[in-house]
Each structure stands twice: as C-alpha cells, then as structure tokens.
Amino acid sequence: MALFQVTDYDKHIWETELKDWLPDNIIDVHTHVWLTELKDQPKKGKEHFTVSWPSMVAPDNSIEDLQETYELMFPGKKVKALMFTSGGASAANNNYVSESSKKSGFPALYYSHPSQTREQLFSKIVSGGFLGIKCYLSSAPKYIPDDEIRITDFFPPHQLELMNDLGGIVMCHIPRSTRLKDPMNYEQIAYIKETWPNIRFIVAHIGRAYSSGDIGNAFDRLDQVPDLMYDFCANCSEYAITELLKHAGPKHAMFGTDMPILRMRTRRIEENGTYINLVEKGLYGDVSGDSHMREVSKEEAETITFFAYEELLALKRAWTKLGLTKEDLEDIMFNSAYDLINGASKDILGKPFVF
C-alpha cells in the first residue's frame, strides 16, 4: 500500500504543468527526517511560539518514507535531499539522520543546540558525516521574548566561527514575527556573512516571507552580501519568489520542500497580510484553533493538490514572469544546491558529493 494517495487531479497537474517543465535531476535542499519513537520527551516550562499545523501532516518521516514520497510525487525524476531532523531534535534522531545519510547517499546537516561547545559540535559533525548545522528559534534561551530573539541566540558566535573554519552549511530559519523585513534579522544575516564569509549560509523559506508584505526593504541590504543562498521551501508566494529571483538570481535560489510537510494537500492564499492554508474539512482533524488553517468543502477540495506542487506552480509563474530560461530552472532545481553541497562535502569530508 502506498504511503499516500495520488489523485487524478494530482496526476493532471503533474502531467500538464510540471513533468516536462522540471529537469530530470532535482535536489530538495530542505527536508526533515526523524522517528517519533526517538524524540526526547518535551520539557515543561515556557516554549517559544511555533505554528501547530505542520504537525498535522505526518507523525514522522523515515528515510524510506521520504524516498517513497519522491517516487510518488516526482515519477521519472531523480531526487535527493539535504536532510536534517525535526524540531526538538534528540541525539538519537541526529544519529538516525547520520545513519540514513550513509545508507541513502542523501547529504545531511546536524541539528545543533546553542549550548554545545565548539569542541562538542566539531566532534558530532565529523563523527556523523554532517555538512553543517541546522537549528531553530525554539532552542534560544527561554527567558528571551519571542520577538526579541536574534539569530545568534540559537547560532552562537563560537559555533559560527567553527562553521566558517570548516566551510560548513548553516541552514537558518529566522526568528521574529515581522520575518525577513525585520532589520534585526537582515542586519544579522549581513553581519554573519561579513564576519564569517566562508559559511555557506542559507536563508530558509526566503526568510519566512510567505506573504507579499513580509519582505519590506530587506533586499536593499542583502543585495550587498556576497555568496548568500536562499531556499523557497514551503513558500507559495509568487511575489516573494519573484523578488528573490530578481535580486539574488537563480544561482542563489534553491528548491526545498520541508518534507513531510509538503505532502499536505492545501492551496495557500494570502489574506490580511498573512497566509492561510485551505484544506478539506476533516482531513487534518480539528483545525479550529489555528489561524493559518481554513477548511473548505469536499467539492472544492477535489481541486486541491499537494503543497509541493503548489510551491512549484508559484515558481513556474515567477519563472515565466521574469522570462527565465531552462538553464535558470536547472540552477534553481539542481545546480545551485549541488555546488553548495559539493563544496561543503569536499571541505568537511574530503570527498565530492555524488548525486
């Protein structure tokens, strides 16, 4: 039995919109692999705010589930992922990702914690065969209010210095409610790259600019920062993707899915300056407490496809609007990520990345 259903409507979107447009080789630069049974028990006390809807899609995502997902969603294409474990990462799940990387050939990042010393982090990266680090704002000290968290509160300077020395990848999901347009965020991104230029720094989700009002003047500053990379993972904003491609260009933009989240069946809309995921009634349980979720009728849901396809359709609209080429698309879907991963693999592991 398949991991999930591929409907006739999904097949129609794939066959008519995506199959012939996409290149044969694809790198998903942002995806999660973990097993629920390996997670640590949550600690009591104040937690930094995170949205709840992603947890409704799947309880976990094994390496086998991820590989099957690509086979079901991208038939006929060769897909590999840059992967890391999920929020609240445990040592066991970091180990699982390391083992999965060696088994599958998918490159991996270590899910770090700001409390780790340089020596501790270096040991984990080398022993696990990781190419860099991923962390999340939830790991910042609990006494810091959510809207005062800085990137260096969960990626402290001694860890960034290590990544600079190694030429490692830093996958950064920025904090703060005003997202990419927050001056603290874009100034810190600029500061990090200017201070530690050898870091292969990825601004995840286009800096969480999921709506047209989330960008502001950020690119006026970030355009001055060399070698900055972005993924547009879980982002369906045609405006945000267009602005990214206009400013950073195809060689600095990368495809990502946030799997298993983009297995979700949704159509994303923008309303009152924020995003809303339209989903079939009852498909994801009780969503009444989540302002980012809205249920639609079964009839309307019949024309809703995978979140991953919606993201790619938004990219296609931006690509068409800007008059980009097939070569540009190959950069976005494969070459930019390959060059980044291959460089980190050579620097840290002493060997090239084999796709």
Side-chain angles (χ1 to χ4, degrees):
M1 183 176 178
L3 182 63
F4 52 83
Q5 181 186 14
V6 181
T7 68
D8 288 342
Y9 185 71
D10 300 329
K11 293 174 183 176
H12 171 74
I13 294 295
W14 176 253
E15 292 290 334
T16 62
E17 296 280 358
L18 299 176
K19 183 180 74 170
D20 294 335
W21 177 67
L22 289 170
D24 290 336
N25 296 326
I26 296 171
I27 293 178
D28 174 356
V29 80
H30 186 137
T31 197
H32 301 270
V33 169
W34 82 100
L35 298 178
T36 298
E37 66 211 50
L38 299 180
K39 274 198 167 186
D40 291 335
Q41 290 298 315
K43 297 178 181 178
K44 293 182 180 180
K46 175 186 178 291
E47 294 293 329
H48 291 300
F49 173 76
T50 57
V51 293
S52 61
W53 61 265
S55 63
M56 300 173 182
V57 182
D60 56 18
N61 194 36
S62 69
I63 186 62
E64 291 81 12
D65 283 357
L66 180 61
Q67 291 172 310
E68 184 178 354
T69 296
Y70 293 143
E71 291 170 2
L72 290 169
M73 282 193 182
F74 301 96
K77 308 294 183 181
K78 183 179 179 182
V79 186
K80 285 194 174 184
L82 177 63
M83 60 186 179
F84 34 88
T85 191
S86 187
S90 64
N93 264 316
N94 267 321
N95 290 338
Y96 176 68
V97 170
S98 174
E99 293 164 5
S100 297
S101 176
K102 292 166 186 172
K103 183 166 101 174
S104 66
F106 288 16
L109 302 180
Y110 177 77
Y111 203 111
S112 60
H113 192 277
S115 64
Q116 290 175 296
T117 67
R118 176 189 170 106
E119 292 73 22
Q120 289 169 334
L121 189 57
F122 177 74
S123 175
K124 294 294 185 183
I125 288 171
V126 172
S127 64
F130 295 104
L131 301 184
I133 57 177
K134 165 73 164 73
C135 193
Y136 196 65
L137 60 94
S138 57
S139 295
K142 304 308 178 192
Y143 63 81
I144 304 175
D146 287 349
D147 262 353
E148 295 181 20
I149 296 174
R150 299 166 300 172
I151 296 168
T152 48
D153 289 323
F154 51 95
F155 285 129
H158 67 274
Q159 295 185 358
L160 295 171
E161 182 181 56
L162 173 62
M163 290 301 102
N164 183 70
D165 292 345
L166 293 175
I169 296 169
V170 173
M171 175 68 75
C172 183
H173 180 115
I174 63 173
R176 307 166 81 90
S177 61
T178 47
R179 304 173 189 267
L180 186 63
K181 71 181 178 184
D182 190 313
M184 180 60 77
N185 278 328
Y186 61 73
E187 288 295 344
Q188 276 226 309
I189 292 168
Y191 169 76
I192 289 168
K193 274 297 292 179
E194 289 162 359
T195 306
W196 298 286
N198 293 330
I199 291 176
R200 292 176 163 93
F201 195 93
I202 303 173
V203 182
H205 314 288
I206 320 179
R208 297 170 55 235
Y210 302 126
S211 299
S212 56
D214 292 334
I215 293 177
N217 299 317
F219 283 119
D220 292 344
R221 179 69 174 99
L222 296 177
D223 282 352
Q224 304 169 41
V225 182
D227 299 323
L228 192 59
M229 302 299 291
Y230 301 81
D231 73 45
F232 52 92
C233 169
N235 199 319
C236 292
S237 171
E238 179 185 335
Y239 175 80
I241 296 173
T242 301
E243 289 299 297
L244 169 63
L245 293 173
K246 279 169 55 179
H247 286 271
K251 293 188 182 299
H252 293 267
M254 300 179 292
F255 171 65
T257 66
D258 230 359
M259 289 296 179
I261 296 171
L262 263 67
R263 280 164 40 188
M264 187 180 196
R265 293 190 168 280
T266 187
R267 178 177 298 122
R268 179 170 280 188
I269 62 171
E270 182 178 338
E271 191 173 275
N272 299 322
T274 191
Y275 70 89
I276 297 172
N277 301 319
L278 304 181
V279 297
E280 181 181 347
K281 186 172 182 174
L283 184 60
Y284 296 109
D286 182 5
V287 301
S288 60
D290 194 320
S291 62
H292 291 293
M293 298 285 278
R294 181 181 299 166
E295 293 185 323
V296 298
S297 68
K298 184 174 180 59
E299 290 71 27
E300 184 174 349
E302 289 176 357
T303 60
I304 289 179
T305 188
F306 299 120
F307 197 164
Y309 286 5
E310 289 289 341
E311 178 186 296
L312 286 167
L313 291 172
L315 169 64
K316 188 176 182 181
R317 293 192 297 271
W319 176 84
T320 301
K321 179 183 292 185
L322 294 172
L324 299 183
T325 66
K326 278 285 190 180
E327 290 73 22
D328 293 326
L329 184 62
E330 288 176 358
D331 284 339
I332 295 165
M333 299 299 299
F334 181 79
N335 293 329
S336 300
Y338 178 84
D339 291 345
L340 186 85
I341 294 165
N342 188 48
S345 184
K346 287 180 177 180
D347 285 350
I348 297 176
L349 305 181
K351 60 183 181 181
F353 164 53
V354 178
F355 180 76

